[in-house]
Amino acid sequence: MNKNSRWQAVVYVLIGAASYGVLSSVVKLAYADGFSAGEVTGSQVLTGCVAMWLLSIPYWKLCRQLSLATLAKMVGSGTFTGLTGIFYYQSLQKLDASFAVLLLFQFAWMGLAVEWLFHRKRPGRMQVIGAIVVGAGTLLASGLLLEGGARSYDPAGIALGLLAAVCYTLFVYFSGRVATSVPATLRSAWMLTGAAIITLLIFPPRFIWNGAVAEGLWLWALILGLFGMILPPYLFAKGAPRLNTGLTAILGSVELPVVMICSAWLLQERAEAAQWLGVVLILAGIGVSEWKGRASARKARHTV
């Protein structure tokens, strides 16, 4: 892989992760507007799925060339996208947004663990350091270390947040390995089909006939569908196959700075200096890991 291709992959993953960062603030606004978790989650995934299938129209003829096994893998891997949203949005109802995000961010080390467990690929020293720095940064940025930050939390909310992290890690993992020869738009459409199936099985689409769409749910569905269901799967499908799971997971940590910026802008939540220091540490951790990746690539080229 040439240098430009690698950097394009990094940018794709960063933008995809940043898109996820917009979600928590928008979800809070949708809840404040009177809509339930089922309505928000279901309308988001259905909107995203329909939109992605429309965008993939030029590739529909390729579906006849795909085996049933390939289709099943794409749909199956897409269920992790849906489950991430389901678990995360449920945790947001039970926990402070900062703590729910902290739990979700456990994917930073889970990604390295997946590489180790599934492929016996031990993370490099700089990747481990990067993950530790990202972990320290997320702890500071969450506000848990501030006065009054540490208090009892709903065990169910904690479990939901950790399940969201596991599903997000598996989504990142399969994004880089399932049907990578299929065009990213078409692959995303099939993955979102899986996300829609699992989501609508758990949350039947009552919003279609109960009047919620006409009451304003359509707007939240469009925004959340774009930032939660269209951009991330597509961009991860473009970028993740060119990067290893550990690096992709660590790059995904850019989501937290975006969460804080959106919270300040949309929800008028004020962040303390220690929390912004956490953001700086997260970005430093990303930089350390990516620097190691580029150094390894340069070394490999010189040894050829």
Side-chain angles (χ1 to χ4, degrees):
M1 184 191 305
N2 61 47
K3 182 177 180 180
N4 288 337
S5 179
R6 180 180 174 81
W7 273 110
Q8 286 176 356
V10 169
V11 170
Y12 287 144
V13 173
L14 285 174
I15 296 176
S19 299
Y20 273 131
V22 175
L23 295 180
S24 59
S25 294
V26 177
V27 168
K28 289 281 190 183
L29 291 174
Y31 287 163
D33 209 18
F35 298 108
S36 69
E39 291 171 335
V40 171
T41 308
S43 63
Q44 169 191 335
V45 72
L46 187 59
T47 300
C49 183
V50 171
M52 190 57 74
W53 274 111
L54 292 175
L55 291 173
S56 67
I57 287 176
Y59 302 102
W60 282 10
K61 60 183 180 180
L62 296 178
C63 291
R64 290 177 294 180
Q65 303 173 19
L66 301 175
S67 67
L68 289 178
T70 299
L71 295 177
K73 288 178 182 178
M74 289 189 291
V75 172
S77 62
T79 60
F80 294 114
T81 306
L83 290 172
T84 298
I86 291 169
F87 292 137
Y88 184 53
Y89 290 0
Q90 289 290 313
S91 71
L92 281 172
Q93 288 192 316
K94 299 177 180 294
L95 303 172
D96 293 342
S98 61
F99 191 58
V101 170
L102 174 65
L103 293 172
L104 180 64
F105 265 67
Q106 302 310 303
F107 71 76
W109 64 265
M110 288 180 181
L112 300 178
V114 164
E115 289 277 358
W116 195 351
L117 291 173
F118 289 1
H119 301 285
R120 295 292 185 262
K121 184 177 180 181
R122 299 182 64 176
R125 182 179 63 179
M126 297 305 290
Q127 282 191 316
V128 172
I129 292 174
I132 292 172
V133 172
V134 167
T138 55
L139 186 59
L140 279 174
S142 70
L144 285 176
L145 300 182
L146 300 176
E147 183 178 356
R151 53 186 178 273
S152 61
Y153 286 98
D154 188 330
I158 293 174
L160 288 166
L162 291 175
L163 284 171
V166 171
C167 291
Y168 185 72
T169 302
L170 292 173
F171 158 64
V172 171
Y173 176 78
F174 286 113
S175 290
R177 287 169 172 77
V178 171
T180 56
S181 62
V182 178
T185 306
L186 184 61
R187 183 153 58 109
S188 296
W190 280 108
M191 292 177 72
L192 286 181
T193 299
I197 290 172
I198 191 66
T199 300
L200 297 179
L201 282 175
I202 295 174
F203 295 121
R206 298 186 180 91
F207 59 86
I208 294 177
W209 60 78
N210 69 3
V213 174
E215 293 172 1
L217 182 62
W218 66 270
L219 177 60
W220 302 116
L222 288 176
I223 297 173
L224 292 170
L226 175 64
F227 287 105
M229 290 288 134
I230 298 175
L231 288 178
Y234 174 75
L235 292 171
F236 272 87
K238 293 277 286 185
R242 309 182 201 176
L243 305 169
N244 62 61
T245 303
L247 176 57
T248 304
I250 292 175
L251 289 171
S253 299
V254 75
E255 178 183 341
L256 185 55
V258 176
V259 169
M260 294 182 63
I261 292 170
C262 288
S263 295
W265 178 38
L266 298 175
L267 305 177
Q268 285 75 53
E269 294 181 356
R270 190 173 69 90
E272 302 292 339
Q275 292 175 279
W276 286 112
L277 175 59
V279 172
V280 173
L281 285 176
I282 290 168
L283 297 177
I286 293 171
V288 166
S289 297
E290 176 55 17
W291 171 81
K292 177 59 178 177
R294 289 190 289 114
S296 298
R298 286 196 300 267
K299 183 178 179 180
R301 288 197 301 270
H302 290 323
T303 56
V304 173

